[in-house]
Amino acid sequence: MTSPNVRQWVSSNAWVWSYAGAFLVFVAMLPFTSGHGVIQTTQVALQFSTFYVMVGLGQMLVIALGNGNIDLSIPGVITLGGFVGLGAGGDGPWGAATAAGATLLVGISAGLVNAIPVRILRIPPMIATLSSGFVFQSVAIAYSRGASAAPPALLADVTTHRSAGVPDLTIIFVFLSVVVAFTLRCTKFGRTILALGQNARAAGLTGLRVGPTITFVYIISSTFAAFTGLLLAASVGGASLDMGQDYLLFSIAVVVLGGAAISGGRASTAGVWGAGLLLVLSVTLLNVIGVSVGVRFLVTGLIIVLVLGLANRRA
Amino acid sequence: MSLLNHTISQQALDAPAEAFVELAGVGKQFGAVRALSDVDLRITAGRMTSVLGHNGAGKSTLIRIIAGLVKPSAGRVRIAGDAEDKLSPRHALSLGIRCVFQELSLCDSLTVYENTRVLHPNLTGRRWRNRSRALIQQSLDTIFPGHDIDVNELVGRLSIGRRQMIEIARAFTVTDVPVRLVILDEPTSALDAKAANQLMQFTRRVRQEGCSCLFVSHRLREILDYTDDIVVMRDGRVTDTIVMGPNVSASILVEKMGAVHDEAPLQAGSPTRKADGRSVVDITGSNGSIPFRATKGEIVGLSGLAGQGQRELLLQVLSATQRLDSHCKVTGKAAYVAGDRQSEGLFPLWTVAENLSIGSLSKVCRLGVISLRRERTLAERWRAALSIRAPRVAYPIRLLSGGNQQKVLVARAFASEPDVVLFDDPMRGVDVNTKTELYGQVRRLADSGCTFLWYTTEIAELWNCDRVYILRNGRITEEIPRHALSEERVISASFERT
């Protein structure tokens, strides 16, 4: 039924699968919600998937570098970003700005801490970032002593406000996603990332600036994670020590479900959104049906394995 | 000379009858490339057979067939009198065939004795470590008396010379099957003079016990001093079989390796003298290496046997454009064209345009942003200039033929408007038409002032060059100007006489 052209287009635009999946789950959910519930559910799904996208964009760039690059320090950076950001913020008129500045600093330093062992000491990224993530988490514990400051009013507003029914955060991050997609396609930096992921030796021999690019990508990933921490903490009224936990698996899941190559060299910004929606809607659906937490985790895991299995078979 | 040839060939026919390995009409085809055709070869028990030839003569394919690594596409292989249609490395091993390859086959993360165990799966049981240690220790002591290798050391921590000694000693260890034939592929190139001498002496002893050797070396002295039979190869054929005698000299061997060439070498345009131009690449001579110099608009060939440091020289020049190198001065920008396009050149997920423009993105950028329109224009221009056969520039690169992929890589280098182009044997495995087209492009670009450093494994390609340097053991050993260039001269310089 499908013409070869469509098939070819789908195979090179694997992100459509995540949207197809999200749509299916959405339809499956309709019978369980009554009339107005649909809009509410969609709004909540958008809100939550925005947080997945925030970390997903950074993780996507790291994974696109290929050669085993991955950022497993994201949960630690989220926690640290949340605590330090809110701690620096306070109630003053510049509260939100200082919070953002402090979060940015956390992001940049965390990125450097990740990049140095990966690049200079040549420690496999998986181990380097996992252990540095542990360090960030410990620093967050020491810094917070278990207590979190309240978010600045402006920040709390931004995280909960909706314009024309769409959460402000979603609008901001759709815009940022477009910027990331444009960077990948139309800047030397973006092309270098994708070239590295496809063939690192060729990238080096072509004269691309390999080292600085890797460092910068880790900084971007950590910065996205730190801001996720700040915004997440602001949206729920305070940071907590386990707020980053879920994001280790989900940051990778949205990248891979979104059609990016786990081996690097191919990234899909649109796919990250589709995958984020798919994951959030699945969890919502399971909540609506009323299954236990254990089953929810089980099904989430199954979805990831299933989609990855299908994606690999096509490739 | 013809009389001498005749007597030598006559002697070869009268060689002793007992052959351990016998090849009859063996051929091997890799895709469109014929690596071996109609090879007859006898390796007699207790004798050393040397295989001699320049790059692409078919030496490695021949060795790999006997080792069971490559299946011949034609002909018969008989080992110890039995026909072997499906020779595998395991099976060859069980017949007593052992290999010492130039690219060593030891595992870096294992100790010396553990590496020995890899070759002998029957070393089992509680005491296999001690038995394995004793086995390799004894072999090392016999072949290289006075060596200082600790068999408990990790192989990765040992120098390349010691690894080569272990590789050799391991090939001569025996548990169940006696060693009948040892293939020695350039075994002495990584050894110091003392160890090399010990090895060659040892091969005399094992031959007395009935073990045969198949020997490949670029040192003609070793071949002349230790070999019993010499097989000369050229273009995938055995062109001569010589039984060692007092009449055989290095000059005769060199002559035989290049004697049958009579086709006109491919070339485009006639080279122009530019030796007086501005110097673009300058490498000071050191450690037995003569100084290297390339001037503006010159095409400089790098030749010699494969893997003698030509690639390293190119990479040195490339890195000298990025960071300061006191021995190597390069003026301007360099662009590298890989010969191994899969692992060093292509970005397989990208289109032709993206693959082409990656070397010159700053040329299609405006305010740091790549203009997709300009990128397409650049790609279209080079697609036309090198007649790259792709339906459009937004076509996936992996769907192109090998020759056209190679053209894209050449276009990538040319489009960056470099001062020096580094060719790492890029025409390897490329069809004749593409080659001829690219030769013309190279000459045109050189005429407009671009310098080429061209490493090639095909002697015929050197006729496109203005000057040729020969490398041996990582050193530049000879410079041949265009007017003195001849195939014999290149072959003679590639092999070591003393």
Side-chain angles (χ1 to χ4, degrees):
Chain A
M1 204 168 88
T2 49
S3 73
N5 275 340
V6 172
R7 233 175 295 155
Q8 200 187 343
W9 185 84
V10 168
S11 80
S12 55
N13 293 275
W15 53 269
V16 295
W17 292 107
S18 59
Y19 284 89
F23 181 74
L24 280 181
V25 176
F26 184 75
V27 171
M29 207 161 54
L30 287 179
F32 296 95
T33 55
S34 49
H36 67 282
V38 174
I39 291 171
Q40 243 175 6
T41 316
T42 316
Q43 279 174 337
V44 173
L46 274 177
Q47 180 100 24
F48 275 104
S49 50
T50 304
F51 286 112
Y52 289 152
V53 171
M54 285 182 210
V55 285
L57 288 176
Q59 185 72 276
M60 177 185 80
L61 294 179
V62 176
I63 289 178
L65 287 172
N67 309 299
N69 279 299
I70 195 160
D71 189 353
L72 300 183
S73 72
I74 282 176
V77 181
I78 288 178
T79 315
L80 190 61
F83 275 107
V84 174
L86 290 194
D91 275 334
W94 295 97
T98 9
T103 311
L104 183 66
L105 273 181
V106 168
I108 293 174
S109 349
L112 283 173
V113 169
N114 280 332
I116 288 167
V118 168
R119 275 195 52 208
I120 298 170
L121 307 178
R122 308 215 171 266
I123 298 174
M126 205 181 274
I127 293 160
T129 57
L130 196 59
S131 43
S132 63
F134 196 68
V135 172
F136 302 143
Q137 184 75 28
S138 308
V139 173
I141 293 171
Y143 175 89
S144 68
R145 298 207 186 83
S148 160
L154 176 64
L155 216 53
D157 281 352
V158 169
T159 51
T160 45
H161 187 262
R162 289 179 187 142
S163 308
V166 183
D168 283 3
L169 274 186
T170 306
I171 297 170
I172 295 172
F173 274 88
V174 165
F175 174 72
L176 277 177
S177 306
V178 173
V179 172
V180 168
F182 180 79
T183 305
L184 275 176
R185 176 121 183 79
C186 288
T187 66
K188 194 163 181 177
F189 170 66
R191 292 282 177 99
T192 306
I193 295 174
L194 297 177
L196 259 171
Q198 294 176 63
N199 192 340
R201 263 199 75 75
L205 290 169
T206 314
L208 300 176
R209 291 165 59 79
V210 173
T213 303
I214 295 176
T215 307
F216 201 46
V217 167
Y218 273 100
I219 290 176
I220 293 176
S221 174
S222 290
T223 305
F224 270 119
F227 274 97
T228 309
L230 177 68
L231 296 169
L232 200 59
S235 70
V236 298
S240 66
L241 285 171
D242 62 350
M243 62 196 264
Q245 233 174 33
D246 286 351
Y247 288 81
L248 183 59
L249 176 64
F250 281 128
S251 71
I252 301 166
V254 289
V255 174
V256 184
L257 293 183
I262 190 80
S263 53
R266 184 168 52 217
S268 170
T269 317
V272 171
W273 276 102
L277 284 170
L278 169 63
L279 286 175
V280 171
L281 287 171
S282 320
V283 172
T284 317
L285 173 63
L286 295 169
N287 275 338
V288 171
I289 299 172
V291 299
S292 67
V293 181
V295 176
R296 220 168 60 205
F297 279 131
L298 193 73
V299 174
T300 314
L302 278 178
I303 290 175
I304 294 172
V305 171
L306 193 77
V307 175
L308 285 189
L310 281 173
N312 282 342
R313 235 165 46 94
R314 281 196 314 271
Chain B
M1 194 53 71
S2 64
L3 183 70
L4 187 65
N5 269 346
H6 180 72
T7 49
I8 288 168
S9 306
Q10 200 53 52
Q11 277 177 349
L13 292 175
D14 299 336
E18 197 199 334
F20 177 60
V21 174
E22 203 172 357
L23 306 187
V26 165
K28 179 67 193 175
Q29 195 108 16
F30 292 106
V33 181
R34 185 173 280 277
L36 273 189
S37 41
D38 203 24
V39 167
D40 296 333
L41 178 77
R42 288 164 60 87
I43 300 174
T44 320
R47 285 173 80 86
M48 180 186 273
T49 308
S50 281
V51 183
L52 198 58
H54 209 262
N55 299 320
K59 287 176 298 187
S60 352
T61 313
L62 181 68
I63 288 175
R64 295 169 74 82
I65 284 176
I66 296 171
L69 293 160
V70 165
K71 307 251 176 305
S73 33
R76 285 196 328 274
V77 179
R78 292 175 79 84
I79 292 171
D82 299 323
E84 300 289 350
D85 296 332
K86 295 190 183 68
L87 195 62
S88 68
R90 268 272 156 239
H91 188 48
L93 202 63
S94 72
L95 293 169
I97 298 175
R98 303 289 177 83
C99 308
V100 176
F101 285 120
Q102 203 179 354
E103 58 277 15
L104 303 179
S105 60
L106 301 171
C107 303
D108 282 358
S109 53
L110 297 182
T111 63
V112 175
Y113 72 83
E114 283 165 342
N115 266 294
T116 312
R117 163 72 171 68
V118 171
L119 193 66
H120 297 288
N122 57 337
L123 278 178
T124 52
R126 227 159 32 81
R127 293 175 51 77
W128 72 265
R129 286 185 182 80
N130 282 340
R131 285 199 286 147
S132 182
R133 275 189 200 109
L135 196 63
I136 188 71
Q137 186 76 51
Q138 194 203 350
S139 183
L140 277 165
D141 290 345
T142 316
I143 305 171
F144 305 107
H147 72 90
D148 58 352
I149 296 170
D150 176 4
V151 297
N152 297 308
E153 186 63 89
L154 286 178
V155 164
R157 296 216 182 125
L158 297 170
S159 69
I160 186 81
R162 292 199 175 83
R163 282 186 228 182
Q164 180 76 69
M165 286 159 79
I166 294 160
E167 176 103 9
I168 293 165
R170 187 178 72 157
F172 285 101
T173 53
V174 178
T175 49
D176 45 358
V177 189
V179 182
R180 305 286 305 275
L181 167 70
V182 177
I183 297 172
L184 298 160
D185 183 8
E186 292 282 4
T188 55
S189 57
L191 297 180
D192 58 48
K194 180 175 160 232
N197 199 37
Q198 287 173 330
L199 168 66
M200 298 315 292
Q201 292 293 342
F202 179 72
T203 62
R204 285 224 169 104
R205 269 192 280 155
V206 293
R207 274 180 271 167
Q208 279 162 12
E209 292 157 20
C211 175
S212 322
C213 296
L214 187 64
F215 186 59
V216 176
S217 174
H218 68 276
R219 294 177 174 160
L220 294 179
R221 194 73 264 154
E222 287 172 356
I223 292 175
L224 290 168
D225 286 355
Y226 292 95
T227 308
D228 304 305
D229 306 297
I230 301 173
V231 172
V232 183
M233 295 191 71
R234 234 210 101 91
D235 298 333
R237 291 171 187 281
V238 172
T239 50
D240 245 309
T241 307
I242 307 168
V243 175
M244 196 57 215
N247 304 331
V248 184
S249 70
S251 321
I252 291 179
L253 293 183
V254 167
E255 187 187 317
K256 285 194 176 299
M257 274 189 275
V260 289
H261 195 273
D262 49 6
E263 60 186 292
L266 282 169
Q267 67 177 99
S270 58
T272 40
R273 308 294 309 144
K274 295 180 202 112
D276 51 338
R278 182 167 60 81
S279 171
V280 177
V281 181
D282 250 311
I283 305 175
T284 50
S286 62
N287 193 19
S289 192
I290 61 169
F292 178 95
R293 182 167 177 268
T295 60
K296 193 171 159 58
E298 205 179 14
I299 304 177
V300 178
L302 301 173
S303 184
L305 292 171
Q308 299 289 316
Q310 295 93 339
R311 215 180 114 74
E312 288 72 13
L313 180 80
L314 294 180
L315 294 177
Q316 188 191 6
V317 171
L318 187 65
S319 79
T321 59
Q322 281 148 15
R323 60 185 71 86
L324 213 61
D325 185 335
S326 57
H327 294 290
C328 179
K329 279 192 192 58
V330 184
T331 324
K333 236 172 19 160
Y336 178 88
V337 181
D340 185 352
R341 51 177 178 273
Q342 298 306 336
S343 68
E344 302 203 314
L346 293 179
F347 298 112
L349 301 174
W350 273 351
T351 62
V352 171
E354 285 165 322
N355 265 286
L356 208 154
S357 68
I358 188 71
S360 41
L361 285 180
S362 42
K363 290 194 175 52
V364 294
C365 270
R366 191 175 285 167
L367 301 171
V369 173
I370 296 167
S371 150
L372 296 177
R373 192 179 47 80
R374 284 206 203 180
E375 183 186 31
R376 200 173 53 237
T377 317
L378 177 93
E380 286 291 359
R381 197 171 74 233
W382 283 101
R383 180 172 74 134
L386 296 190
S387 35
I388 296 167
R389 274 170 277 286
R392 53 186 191 278
V393 291
Y395 196 69
I397 186 108
R398 66 196 155 77
L399 299 182
L400 261 53
S401 72
N404 281 302
Q405 288 180 344
Q406 196 64 51
K407 278 185 182 174
V408 174
L409 296 188
V410 171
R412 179 196 292 168
F414 287 6
S416 68
E417 292 166 20
D419 302 286
V420 188
V421 174
L422 307 168
F423 269 1
D424 182 8
D425 204 9
M427 315 291 180
R428 187 169 49 192
V430 170
D431 60 287
V432 180
N433 291 336
T434 307
K435 274 185 189 174
T436 326
E437 283 173 39
L438 286 177
Y439 293 160
Q441 293 292 337
V442 168
R443 176 52 64 190
R444 213 159 304 145
L445 202 64
D447 286 340
S448 67
C450 181
T451 305
F452 283 81
L453 266 56
W454 189 345
Y455 165 41
T456 171
T457 48
E458 272 178 57
I459 293 181
E461 232 161 42
L462 294 175
W463 264 263
N464 292 294
C465 301
D466 300 315
R467 218 146 40 82
V468 173
Y469 285 100
I470 307 287
L471 280 91
R472 210 168 61 207
N473 284 340
R475 302 189 186 97
I476 306 173
T477 51
E478 199 159 332
E479 177 185 349
I480 307 176
R482 179 65 168 80
H483 61 86
L485 186 66
S486 71
E487 189 170 27
E488 241 180 286
R489 177 98 189 255
V490 173
I491 291 172
S492 164
S494 304
F495 288 85
E496 204 172 313
R497 287 180 182 233
T498 52

